[in-house]
């Protein structure tokens, strides 16, 4: 029992100094995960593809971001547990406090956060937008070949994915990397099932082991404040913990907004993470069979700041006209080098073999750009090496569909160009899913009925009109083709 308490209080094995969060502590099994080659490759993948060509400080890697997400995920989980203890008047001295189960879900959430992005490939989100790569990932063949190498039973495979996906996203690779890392000799002492870790990650079916279900039974009274346990409480807990790993106010977004703002030296908006987490609770409504995150009315301001900051980062940083232009140029250069038979074949082998996947990083493509640039001085690769940015002509922002072709014709006439000399690069900015029908986060209010003892949970849209101001929109930049 003392061991669980020590771990929960932060007595851990290693320390990493992070420029954003300060000291981040690690358990020994997390150190073994981080030391695995599939995780170490994240050192060589930039968090924001080539944003550093516009914001020179933004050279931070997926490696440190992933560790930061684990740290924030731990803070979120710990904050939720503390709020449950306060609300249900449970003290650490109470014999009913399920320390072993709290420790189990804390470490499980940390691992899922740590591994959530380990499947990102070269230049992060730009990788799958390259036409030839999108074609490679557009069938189930890479998925089947990847998992044919795995140490996995037919039962576990069906529990992860009842059917092969039609196309692969980086989330599928994250699950495959996590499975490989957690089953390797390097991490064989991990006390957690790869199936349970994968259940908290995107794209999987969310099936769990009997061990997870056992701990779910034990922790249920603490989370819900009720002694009445519903059928299969583990399903509710999987859904709740997934919101920490990947949701509207998840550990991933909290870290990348703080980290990207810090390294790009952009202080647009801003939000107070500690204040937000202080007002975040576990919500359980047995009448509607709903479990999710619940925010107090006084925490709504912090949530609004969080959404506004993300909105501003998309518009001023991620959607910056020069950055988007370089993204377009990057995709042309990648398509150019993949057109070489040896490069195209190697990339394909990396996408279908988990052992080769270790070597698919930003550095590989930068080296291919340099090799091609020496042979073809007027190539896109040469432009990438020399930072020759496309000439910006026009920007169009709209929540509706943008008629790109008519704008190209208009710009061609205005600048004495042919329509085919005008290129468009569009970013779909998804600011928030928090609308009228949003169910994952609700506002926790005192009951209006004096006879009711449990709080009421109402949709955020019924309390605040703020979130309706942020409609998803397309940011389209037009350039003169180099």
């Amino acid at each position: 029992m003392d061991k669980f308490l020590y771990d929960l209080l932060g007595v851990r094995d290693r320390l990493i100094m992070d420029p954003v969060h300060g000291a981040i502590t690690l358990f020994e099994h997390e150190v073994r995960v981080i030391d695995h080659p599939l995780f170490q490759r994240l050192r060589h993948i930039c968090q924001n593809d080539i944003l550093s060509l516009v914001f020179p400080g933004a050279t931070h890697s997926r490696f440190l971001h992933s560790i930061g997400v684990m740290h924030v995920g731990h803070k979120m989980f710990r904050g939720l547990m503390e709020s449950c203890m306060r609300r249900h008047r449970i003290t650490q001295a109470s014999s009913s406090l399920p320390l072993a189960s709290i420790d189990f879900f804390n470490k499980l959430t940390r691992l899922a956060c740590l591994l959530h992005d380990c499947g990102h490939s070269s230049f992060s989100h730009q990788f799958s937008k390259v036409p030839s790569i999108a074609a490679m990932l557009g069938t189930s063949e890479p998925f089947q070949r990847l998992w044919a190498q795995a140490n996995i039973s037919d039962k576990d495979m069906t529990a992860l994915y009842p059917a092969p996906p039609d196309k692969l996203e980086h989330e599928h690779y994250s699950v495959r990397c996590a499975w490989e890392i957690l089953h390797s000799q390097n991490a064989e002492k991990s006390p957690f099932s790869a199936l349970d870790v994968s259940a908290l990650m995107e794209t999987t079916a969310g099936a769990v082991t009997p061990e997870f279900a056992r701990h779910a039974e034990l922790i249920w009274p603490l989370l819900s404040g009720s002694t009445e346990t519903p059928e299969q409480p583990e399903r509710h807990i999987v859904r709740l913990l997934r919101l920490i790993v990947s949701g509207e106010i998840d550990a991933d977004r909290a870290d990348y907004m703080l980290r990207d703002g810090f390294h790009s030296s952009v202080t647009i908006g801003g939000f107070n993470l500690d204040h937000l987490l202080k007002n975040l609770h576990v919500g359980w409504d047995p009448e509607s069979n709903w479990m999710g995150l619940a925010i107090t009315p006084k925490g709504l301001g912090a949530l609004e700041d969080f959404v506004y900051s993300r909105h501003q980062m998309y518009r001023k940083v991620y959607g910056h006209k020069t950055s988007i232009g370089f993204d377009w140029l990057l995709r042309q250069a990648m398509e150019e080098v993949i057109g070489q038979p040896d490069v195209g074949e190697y990339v394909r082998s990396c996408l279908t073999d988990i052992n080769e996947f270790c070597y698919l990083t930003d550095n590989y493509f930068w080296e291919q750009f340099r090799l091609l640039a020496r042979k073809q001085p007027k190539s896109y690769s040469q432009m990438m090496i020399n930072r020759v940015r496309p000439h910006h002509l026009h920007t169009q922002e709209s929540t509706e569909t943008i008629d790109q072709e008519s704008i190209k014709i208009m710009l061609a006439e205005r600048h004495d160009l042919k329509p085919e000399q005008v290129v468009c690069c569009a970013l779909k900015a998804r600011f928030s899913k928090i609308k009228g029908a949003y169910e994952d986060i609700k506002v926790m209010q005192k009951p209006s009925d004096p006879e009711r003892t449990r709080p009421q949970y109402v949709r955020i849209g019924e309390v605040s009109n703020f979130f309706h101001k942020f409609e998803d929109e397309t940011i389209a930049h037009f350039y003169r083709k180099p």
Side-chain angles (χ1 to χ4, degrees):
M1 185 68 74
D2 289 344
K3 177 186 181 300
F4 301 130
L5 185 57
Y6 289 155
D7 285 351
L8 289 169
L9 289 174
V11 182
R12 303 190 186 97
D13 303 289
R14 297 287 182 86
L15 190 70
I16 286 179
M17 297 307 298
D18 178 70
V20 175
H21 301 296
I24 296 178
T25 52
L26 301 169
F27 293 109
E28 188 58 40
H29 66 272
E30 293 167 349
V31 175
R32 291 194 296 271
V33 167
I34 290 171
D35 284 344
H36 193 281
L38 278 170
F39 196 91
Q40 285 292 312
R41 64 183 286 277
L42 298 179
R43 290 181 182 272
H44 311 293
I45 297 175
C46 278
Q47 168 72 10
N48 299 113
D49 47 76
I50 51 172
L51 189 66
S52 61
L53 295 183
V54 182
F55 299 93
T59 57
H60 52 298
S61 67
R62 288 272 164 191
F63 177 84
L64 199 50
H65 163 65
S66 296
I67 295 173
V69 174
M70 179 197 69
H71 175 72
V72 176
H74 170 78
K75 290 181 67 173
M76 291 182 71
F77 181 85
R78 179 173 176 170
L80 291 173
M81 294 304 100
E82 289 174 353
S83 69
C84 286
M85 292 179 200
R86 289 196 306 271
R87 284 174 56 203
H88 308 318
R89 295 178 175 83
I90 298 175
T91 67
Q92 288 186 356
S94 172
S95 60
S96 63
L97 191 62
L99 286 180
S101 298
I102 296 173
D103 182 63
F104 175 85
F105 287 117
N106 175 47
K107 290 177 178 175
L108 197 66
T109 302
R110 285 171 61 96
L111 274 176
C113 288
L114 181 64
L115 293 165
H116 84 289
D117 261 356
C118 62
H120 264 294
S121 196
S122 309
F123 303 114
S124 296
H125 292 288
Q126 296 304 316
F127 182 79
S128 60
K129 295 180 182 179
V130 178
S132 58
I133 294 174
M136 294 179 192
L137 300 176
T139 69
S140 61
E141 180 202 2
F143 177 88
Q144 293 169 333
R145 292 180 63 179
L146 276 171
W147 284 98
Q149 307 168 322
N151 177 21
I152 185 171
S153 66
D154 291 342
K155 180 181 178 181
D156 283 346
M157 188 71 246
T158 304
L160 277 178
Y161 296 102
D166 294 331
K167 71 172 189 174
L168 268 67
E169 306 286 352
H170 78 267
E171 291 88 354
H172 293 100
Y173 281 93
S174 292
V175 174
R176 180 63 184 91
C177 288
W179 193 273
E180 189 72 15
I181 292 170
L182 293 172
H183 278 88
S184 70
Q185 288 186 344
N186 197 37
E188 64 181 355
K189 296 180 181 178
S190 173
F192 300 98
S193 164
L195 185 64
D196 288 340
V197 176
S198 301
L200 306 188
M201 300 171 70
E202 290 184 270
T203 75
T204 66
V208 296
T209 64
E211 177 78 355
F212 187 110
R214 182 178 69 83
H215 282 294
E217 291 267 0
L218 293 172
I219 204 173
W220 184 261
L222 173 63
L223 295 182
S224 65
S226 171
T227 56
E228 297 181 8
T229 305
E231 185 178 352
Q232 295 184 311
E234 63 271 17
R235 292 190 176 184
H236 291 290
I237 294 176
V238 165
R239 183 170 178 269
L240 175 70
L241 297 181
R242 274 189 166 188
L243 294 177
I244 296 177
V245 180
S246 180
E248 280 301 288
I249 49 173
D250 59 15
D252 179 34
R253 291 182 182 181
D255 181 80
Y256 79 61
M257 286 165 59
L258 292 171
R259 193 172 301 279
D260 294 352
F262 175 85
H263 286 285
S264 61
S265 299
V266 173
T267 54
I268 298 169
F271 66 97
N272 189 322
L273 177 61
D274 291 331
H275 181 58
L276 178 60
L277 298 185
K278 184 72 173 178
N279 290 281
L280 206 59
H281 298 260
V282 175
W284 166 241
D285 183 5
E287 296 173 6
S288 61
N289 201 37
W290 174 85
M291 175 170 275
L293 295 177
I295 188 104
T296 63
K298 68 179 182 180
L300 270 177
L303 179 57
E304 290 171 356
D305 288 342
F306 184 90
V307 171
Y308 178 70
S309 296
R310 185 165 181 254
H311 168 82
Q312 290 291 69
M313 286 293 288
Y314 260 99
R315 297 190 71 251
K316 303 300 183 183
V317 178
Y318 308 136
H320 190 284
K321 67 181 190 304
T322 309
S323 174
I324 294 297
F326 276 125
D327 285 342
W328 177 85
L329 185 63
L330 171 67
R331 294 194 294 272
Q332 309 311 306
M334 291 178 72
E335 185 73 12
E336 190 175 61
V337 298
I338 290 174
Q340 301 176 98
D342 56 335
V343 176
E345 186 57 35
Y346 179 71
V347 171
R348 184 180 295 276
S349 70
C350 289
L351 293 176
T352 54
D353 186 329
I354 198 65
N355 296 312
E356 292 297 317
F357 189 69
C358 287
Y359 306 108
L360 198 58
T361 64
D362 294 359
N363 296 343
Y364 173 77
F365 277 97
W366 278 115
E367 186 59 30
Q368 296 306 317
F369 295 157
R370 292 186 184 95
L371 292 173
L372 187 61
R374 293 178 63 185
K375 301 175 186 176
Q376 301 179 25
K378 294 184 178 181
S379 61
Y380 289 117
S381 295
Q382 179 71 25
M383 294 178 66
M384 280 297 301
I385 295 297
N386 292 331
R387 195 187 176 273
V388 179
R389 66 176 182 264
H391 179 73
H392 180 259
L393 300 175
H394 177 71
T395 294
Q396 188 81 21
E397 298 182 23
S398 177
T399 56
E400 307 294 332
T401 301
I402 295 176
D403 187 352
Q404 296 183 11
E405 294 307 315
S406 63
I407 296 176
K408 285 182 181 181
I409 293 171
M410 178 270 291
L411 291 172
E413 293 175 352
R414 180 184 299 175
H415 296 277
D416 194 23
L417 300 170
K418 296 179 180 179
E420 57 267 26
Q421 291 178 285
V422 179
V423 297
C424 175
C425 191
L427 171 70
K428 184 68 174 180
R430 295 178 173 86
F431 297 130
S432 177
K433 293 181 181 177
I434 302 176
K435 307 297 179 187
Y438 186 69
E439 289 285 331
D440 287 341
I441 309 169
K442 294 185 178 182
V443 180
M444 183 173 66
Q445 296 181 328
K446 293 181 180 179
S448 55
D449 184 351
E451 296 184 0
R452 180 186 173 105
T453 58
R454 301 187 65 87
Q456 290 180 307
Y457 299 100
V458 300
R459 290 174 176 167
I460 292 178
E462 298 176 25
V463 180
S464 172
N465 292 322
F466 176 85
F467 301 95
H468 296 289
K469 301 175 183 178
F470 299 100
E471 295 292 334
D472 293 351
E473 66 181 34
T474 300
I475 303 173
H477 296 296
F478 295 82
Y479 307 89
R480 183 172 60 205
K481 189 174 183 179

